[in-house]
Amino acid sequence: MSTETVSDVVVVGAGIVGCAIARTLAGTDLSVTLIDARNDVGDGTSKANTALLHTGFDATPGTLESRLVARGYQLLGEYAEQTGIPVEHTGAMLVAWTQEEVDALPKLLAKAEANGYRHCGIVDSDEVYRRVPNLGPGALAGLTVPGESIICTWTTNLALATDAVARGAVLLRGAKVTQVSADADGTTLHTTAGDVRGRWIINAAGLGADHVDALFGHRRFTVIPRRGELFVFDKLTRPMVPLIVLAVPSSRGKGVLVSPTIYGNVMVGPTSENLEDRSATGTSEDGFEFLLSKGRALMPSLFDEEITASYAGLRASTEHDDYLIDLDREQRYVLVGGIRSTGLTSGMAIAEHVAGLLAEAGVDVAERDDLPPPPRMPNIGEAGLRPFEDAALIDADPEYGRIVCFCERVTAGEIRDAFDSPIPPADLDGLRRRTRAMNGRCQGFYCGAQTRALLQAGAPS
């Protein structure tokens, strides 16, 4: 991007939070540029999490996080209906295995009510096993959270980015910020893709947010990469887990969960391991042992079934207990840091909050009247109608009946559509997030070569 072009706002980071902010501000008369260090949107923290649409029942009351998660739950739920983001309202159960955990349930119920969520209930062990018959022995009681849901984090990120671009935002990928310089007319971000200038800079860089913050002269927090490893079980196990099974939270996080996924699998995890390496997304032997021991205690029969995949993601934890969202009028700079895993749910509310801060600083953030409709995203969720099942769609275009990935039933038509979309994939991982190709039990063993050839050709043959 030429240094002669000055955007009103430059958003650094194209994860869920950054894309939500760019979408909101691109809906005004402001010019917006969205940049990311990686070659695709949602290729950092946002791509690998537990994918829960979270009520915020167990957030710390009175925090900014609790308020924005509750608001984001409403906003994202409505947006998912508009755009076709896959969501399943499964509900959740916190299971108490010890008397200490049983004693904690009334406090969690009170916390939920303090957060404005008044639909939880304490149930006895008989009810726990009625709802989740395959749990291991020894559950004493439970706390129901009927509003907890599973969602497709990949489609959420892509929908927000696509909407931002449709509203006029400029997306620049592969642009890692290396240096910052400011003058009276704005700030220049020196990136690996060239210089990008903006009158306002919004730092939503996730794992790199503290590094960008330091380029603006601040030393107010440190990102502590927290690795979470997970197991994914074969789709045949899905009936064993009808809802999200949660542990009673501790100071280290929300513990190991057993959850259905939007793609028809079952997931167990995550671990919680603080690291120094911000690129350490590989799995580990210790992580496997931890998940095996904890998972078998929760649901032994599940671990008699096939584990088809494992993966790890990094959460951008900090030494602070709340979100760090701050506007500096003099620098015309907004920090959006320390968002952690709840950013999936709260992202749209964070965007609304940032717009409010800009309005208080004198920026006109009134929504335009000529906004395009929200994008309608391809369905990659198992509960909805997939293209390979849609006879009318296949009659109209046989490419939707030509299977490329047999594990996940991904068709040539879907892959073609991904390449033809406003934000096409840059690599195989990006194609996987858009279509589920290579996401099944063979992990690309059968379809990988053909899928790679399609990527290199830019369209299916």
Side-chain angles (χ1 to χ4, degrees):
M1 177 173 287
S2 169
T3 56
E4 299 302 316
T5 302
V6 183
S7 296
D8 292 319
V9 179
V10 177
V11 181
V12 181
I16 285 174
V17 172
C19 287
I21 294 170
R23 171 194 170 272
T24 294
L25 297 181
T28 72
D29 287 324
L30 298 170
S31 57
V32 177
T33 297
L34 173 64
I35 70 172
D36 197 274
R38 297 175 181 262
N39 291 325
D40 201 2
V41 301
D43 194 34
T45 297
S46 294
K47 74 178 179 183
N49 56 47
T50 48
L52 301 185
L53 180 58
H54 187 35
T55 60
F57 75 97
D58 60 349
T60 302
T63 59
L64 181 61
E65 180 178 22
S66 68
R67 177 164 64 84
L68 295 182
V69 169
R71 174 63 174 157
Y73 178 83
Q74 174 189 350
L75 292 174
L76 182 53
E78 294 171 354
Y79 191 66
E81 290 185 8
Q82 296 169 2
T83 59
I85 296 168
V87 175
E88 290 185 46
H89 301 291
T90 60
M93 174 83 71
L94 259 81
V95 179
W97 299 91
T98 67
Q99 188 58 48
E100 182 182 1
E101 291 175 350
V102 171
D103 294 341
L105 295 182
K107 298 175 184 177
L108 286 168
L109 178 62
K111 177 183 279 190
E113 293 177 346
N115 283 317
Y117 188 77
R118 296 179 174 83
H119 305 291
C120 293
I122 297 175
V123 297
D124 61 18
S125 60
D126 288 343
E127 181 64 12
V128 170
Y129 284 105
R130 187 189 73 79
R131 299 195 187 199
V132 195
N134 286 288
L135 274 179
L140 302 178
L143 181 74
T144 61
V145 194
E148 294 287 290
S149 305
I150 57 176
I151 189 170
C152 180
T153 184
W154 298 337
T155 308
T156 300
N157 208 142
L158 190 61
L160 292 167
T162 302
D163 210 353
V165 169
R167 292 176 169 203
V170 174
L171 173 63
L172 183 61
R173 295 182 270 183
K176 180 180 180 179
V177 178
T178 58
Q179 190 176 346
V180 170
S181 57
D183 55 40
D185 296 323
T187 300
T188 299
L189 303 177
H190 305 282
T191 84
T192 51
D195 291 347
V196 180
R197 283 179 56 77
R199 295 182 178 88
W200 281 87
I201 308 297
I202 298 176
N203 173 8
L207 287 165
D210 57 339
H211 290 168
V212 175
D213 200 46
L215 294 176
F216 281 85
H218 301 286
R219 298 288 187 277
R220 45 187 161 180
F221 72 107
T222 300
V223 167
I224 305 164
R226 182 169 293 169
R227 180 165 61 186
E229 300 181 47
L230 301 107
F231 284 153
V232 178
F233 286 78
D234 187 78
K235 297 181 195 301
L236 294 174
T237 64
R238 175 64 190 266
M240 301 174 66
V241 186
L243 50 75
I244 305 159
V245 180
L246 300 169
V248 176
S250 71
S251 59
R252 287 284 291 176
K254 298 174 183 177
V256 171
L257 61 82
V258 180
S259 174
T261 77
I262 209 74
Y263 317 115
N265 302 91
V266 167
M267 175 177 63
V268 174
T271 60
S272 181
E273 178 187 8
N274 288 342
L275 304 174
E276 294 183 2
D277 184 354
R278 303 186 189 209
S279 63
T281 56
T283 54
S284 68
E285 184 176 349
D286 288 345
F288 275 34
E289 290 299 324
F290 177 85
L291 291 176
L292 286 171
S293 63
K294 293 291 185 180
R296 283 198 178 107
L298 286 169
M299 194 172 285
S301 59
L302 176 64
F303 281 77
D304 293 332
E305 305 298 326
E306 186 174 357
I307 296 172
T308 59
S310 61
Y311 69 93
L314 296 176
R315 289 157 279 176
S317 61
T318 73
E319 67 271 41
H320 300 280
D321 294 328
D322 200 0
Y323 292 172
L324 298 172
I325 303 179
D326 180 71
L327 181 145
D328 187 313
R329 287 175 182 253
E330 183 177 346
Q331 290 184 303
R332 287 178 290 184
Y333 166 67
V334 183
L335 166 66
V336 183
I339 305 302
R340 301 186 296 275
S341 59
T342 53
L344 167 57
T345 298
S346 65
M348 296 186 75
I350 291 172
E352 185 179 71
H353 179 68
V354 168
L357 294 177
L358 289 170
E360 292 174 4
V363 180
D364 183 3
V365 294
E367 190 172 271
R368 301 197 316 267
D369 295 329
D370 61 342
L371 292 181
R376 191 69 187 175
M377 304 303 293
N379 171 51
I380 61 172
E382 197 74 1
L385 184 68
R386 300 277 303 287
F388 79 91
E389 302 170 302
D390 191 335
L393 184 64
I394 294 169
D395 284 343
D397 186 344
E399 289 296 276
Y400 292 114
R402 184 159 70 91
I403 302 293
V404 174
C405 172
F406 284 87
C407 293
E408 297 297 299
R409 302 295 191 267
V410 180
T411 67
E414 292 171 274
I415 293 177
R416 177 201 61 207
D417 293 347
F419 288 127
D420 290 342
S421 67
I423 307 176
D427 54 27
L428 287 174
D429 198 37
L431 184 61
R432 179 174 64 90
R433 292 196 297 274
R434 287 161 174 80
T435 65
R436 280 172 53 177
M438 304 175 299
N439 202 47
R441 63 186 302 165
C442 87
Q443 294 293 290
F445 181 82
Y446 289 103
C447 67
Q450 183 180 1
T451 306
R452 185 174 293 105
L454 295 177
L455 176 70
Q456 291 170 349
S461 57

